Amino acid sequence: MSKHVVILGAGYAGLRALHELQKGNNEIKITLVDQNDYHFEATDIHEVAAGIQTSERITYPIKDVVKSTCTTFVQGTVEKIDSDNQEVHLKDQAPLSYDYLIVALGYESESFGIPGVEEFSLKMVDIPTSEKVYQHLTEQMKAYKETKDENCLKIVVCGAGFTGIELLGSLVEGKKKLAEIAGVEPDKIQLYCVEAVTRLLPMFSEKLGGYGIDHLKKWGVNFLVGKPIKEIKQDTVVYLNDQETNELKELAAKTIIWTTGVSGSHVVGDSGFAAKRGRVMVQPDLTDPDHNNVYIIGDCSAVMDKESNRPYPTTAQISLKMGEHAGKNIKAQLKGEPTKEFTFKSLGSVASIGNSHAFGEVGKMEVKGYPASVIKKTIMDRSLFETGGIKEMLAKGRFDFYR
Ligand code: NAD
């Protein structure tokens, strides 16, 4: 009888695993589960939040990549994994049993328990939350027209990590459209970034990180660095201004966007896996330490980088590689062959700051400016190709290499 592989999550890791498992003539039945009927490019959601891209542009239907001869797609919400009984429990649907399971449920916004984050700031983690950010922004611009309250024109991004920086770049670009709604000059829209540490973007050299930050400053972004946020109140960010005196300061703004980091899906910890911030330290072949038929990949997974002795950072690039690897290892297990250890060599990473500027590393080379933005778009196109094939890459890829 053919074995049943269940894949949870249709993000980068899940879809790349699906692609691998659908390849060739395998005696398997696959079920793919996702709460949405579309895949979204998680690396591009900041563009939707800033209103410089529509969500249609960064999504495609999951059915487009499902081979109906071997795969069934189930739209549903995973509530719990019962790994002892090899079952997945879905909200309001019959449980699914599996022989092999791939957990690729992605990430969630991390509040670090800071008071007021859930109530008074906007998350930006998926399509609905990104669309909500843009909708909120347009509402504030309209409110300014009525009230002339300057705080309606103030936007605070909390955290200057990769996500915060890319969002600020897109907001700089989106300012013109927002200003038109408010009936003001773009310069009247004030962008702030409040960041806990002083050494920004530690994955890059200081000079390279500085290049991106300096550009954002030049384009009008106000950075408050070395200022950990302690609380979010209604329309107010409270931050520690002086570590020695414990002096707190407040920054008022009608739009506060929370981008201070992510954790893996809560489902992983809720299901009894040994997770820290939703991430499980997996075996070298990407299986759970207690279950050799359960692969945990993408943002729910922590894999040790033997060179740095720290887990690899979560990126789309590593998620895609993990998906491919998990798919190959399951195929090996089905043939009675040993699984292989996961190895990863980062190709580098590039942060976009708007549509035609970027900075980052490709291999050992530092790239900046317009050429870096071309590289960034090539990376985006490649990841679209890896999950969605040529069809989605041609339909949704970035080929606007203009100056
Ligand atoms: P991050 O952890 O990389 O950055 C979060 C930032 O918020 C840090 O600079 C941190 O010091 C700051 N911060 C944390 N708590 C704070 C507080 N209380 N007050 C003020 N600042 C605070 O998180 P991210 O930017 O959300 O990225 C998550 C992961 O996704 C990272 O691994 C990142 O590299 C990856 N990512 C990659 C890409 C890409 O490759 N294009 C894009 C986006 C995200």
Side-chain angles (χ1 to χ4, degrees), residues 64 81 92 103 170 213 223 279 306 377:
D64 281 9
I81 299 157
D92 302 329
V103 182
S170 290
I213 304 294
F223 280 91
R279 296 179 80 192
K306 287 180 184 150
K377 286 175 190 172

Side-chain angles (χ1 to χ4, degrees), residues 22-151:
Q22 288 185 153
K23 249 186 353 197
N25 206 358
N26 305 296
E27 290 288 298
I28 47 171
K29 202 176 114 207
I30 305 166
T31 301
L32 171 69
V33 182
D34 198 285
Q35 60 194 354
N36 302 314
D37 61 359
Y38 57 85
H39 161 85
F40 68 95
E41 293 290 296
T43 56
D44 307 351
I45 52 173
H46 55 93
E47 298 180 335
V48 173
I52 62 167
Q53 202 73 261
T54 61
S55 50
E56 288 73 34
R57 195 73 174 76
I58 68 159
T59 54
Y60 60 80
I62 290 172
K63 67 173 171 41
D64 281 9
V65 292
V66 165
K67 240 191 197 177
S68 57
T69 46
C70 57
T71 305
T72 307
F73 171 60
V74 173
Q75 186 174 356
T77 304
V78 179
E79 287 192 325
K80 209 167 175 180
I81 299 157
D82 177 354
S83 43
D84 292 335
N85 294 306
Q86 301 192 185
E87 273 186 351
V88 176
H89 294 268
L90 305 176
K91 189 172 177 221
D92 302 329
Q93 293 191 55
L96 290 167
S97 55
Y98 62 82
D99 296 300
Y100 293 92
L101 180 69
I102 297 181
V103 182
L105 288 166
Y107 61 92
E108 292 172 0
S109 176
E110 176 64 86
S111 72
F112 299 105
I114 295 171
V117 170
E118 301 292 342
E119 301 92 310
F120 303 120
S121 69
L122 295 156
K123 286 182 200 163
M124 190 196 69
V125 286
D126 53 19
I127 296 294
T129 52
S130 306
E131 284 180 334
K132 199 170 157 199
V133 170
Y134 185 60
Q135 190 196 344
H136 177 93
L137 282 168
T138 52
E139 281 164 10
Q140 297 318 308
M141 299 304 130
K142 287 179 193 157
Y144 175 80
K145 260 188 148 167
E146 300 282 312
T147 63
K148 301 290 175 230
D149 177 355
E150 297 276 327
N151 287 339

Side-chain angles (χ1 to χ4, degrees), residues 98-382:
Y98 62 82
D99 296 300
Y100 293 92
L101 180 69
I102 297 181
V103 182
L105 288 166
Y107 61 92
E108 292 172 0
S109 176
E110 176 64 86
S111 72
F112 299 105
I114 295 171
V117 170
E118 301 292 342
E119 301 92 310
F120 303 120
S121 69
L122 295 156
K123 286 182 200 163
M124 190 196 69
V125 286
D126 53 19
I127 296 294
T129 52
S130 306
E131 284 180 334
K132 199 170 157 199
V133 170
Y134 185 60
Q135 190 196 344
H136 177 93
L137 282 168
T138 52
E139 281 164 10
Q140 297 318 308
M141 299 304 130
K142 287 179 193 157
Y144 175 80
K145 260 188 148 167
E146 300 282 312
T147 63
K148 301 290 175 230
D149 177 355
E150 297 276 327
N151 287 339
C152 294
L153 303 179
K154 271 197 205 167
I155 305 167
V156 183
V157 172
C158 304
F162 227 104
T163 308
I165 294 298
E166 290 199 314
L167 173 62
L168 286 161
S170 290
L171 285 169
V172 168
E173 207 159 294
K175 264 191 348 182
K176 196 164 165 250
K177 201 162 113 192
L178 291 173
E180 269 170 29
I181 303 172
V184 296
E185 287 301 311
D187 287 351
K188 287 278 279 179
I189 294 176
Q190 299 175 53
L191 293 176
Y192 286 86
C193 178
V194 185
E195 162 59 51
V197 301
T198 48
R199 167 69 169 97
L200 306 184
L201 302 169
M203 68 294 268
F204 297 138
S205 70
E206 257 185 287
K207 196 166 158 223
L208 184 62
Y211 170 89
I213 304 294
D214 287 348
H215 267 75
L216 289 169
K217 281 185 185 163
K218 200 172 79 188
W219 295 334
V221 178
N222 303 290
F223 280 91
L224 299 174
V225 298
K227 314 278 182 204
I229 296 167
K230 294 294 177 190
E231 187 178 354
I232 306 290
K233 297 200 277 200
Q234 178 83 50
D235 302 333
T236 309
V237 175
V238 183
Y239 61 89
L240 183 62
N241 188 48
D242 189 323
Q243 316 254 359
E244 278 173 21
T245 61
N246 274 339
E247 179 208 15
L248 295 174
K249 269 200 165 174
E250 295 192 347
L251 174 62
K254 291 273 184 186
T255 303
I256 300 168
I257 312 168
W258 192 253
T259 63
T260 65
V262 293
S263 53
S265 166
H266 69 277
V267 172
V268 178
D270 291 355
S271 304
F273 293 101
K276 228 186 194 172
R277 279 181 66 196
R279 296 179 80 192
V280 176
M281 189 60 77
V282 291
Q283 299 281 74
D285 66 355
L286 303 182
T287 55
D288 175 61
D290 300 320
H291 305 90
N292 71 356
N293 63 339
V294 178
Y295 287 80
I296 304 181
I297 60 174
D299 296 337
C300 298
S301 176
V303 185
M304 209 45 136
D305 174 359
K306 287 180 184 150
E307 268 178 39
S308 68
N309 215 20
R310 297 178 57 173
Y312 287 108
T314 52
T315 62
Q317 194 187 128
I318 195 166
S319 294
L320 288 164
K321 279 272 170 259
M322 284 183 181
E324 179 186 5
H325 196 81
K328 284 188 172 149
N329 271 352
I330 290 178
K331 283 181 178 172
Q333 283 180 307
L334 288 166
K335 287 191 225 150
E337 292 169 3
T339 58
K340 287 201 173 124
E341 189 171 320
F342 177 74
T343 54
F344 178 66
K345 192 93 206 106
S346 171
L347 301 171
S349 50
V350 180
S352 63
I353 37 171
N355 189 40
S356 49
H357 276 78
F359 62 99
E361 279 171 354
V362 179
K364 294 238 176 294
M365 197 175 66
E366 294 194 343
V367 291
K368 293 179 204 159
Y370 172 72
S373 82
V374 174
I375 293 171
K376 177 78 182 178
K377 286 175 190 172
T378 314
I379 295 169
M380 288 160 138
D381 292 346
R382 189 182 149 151

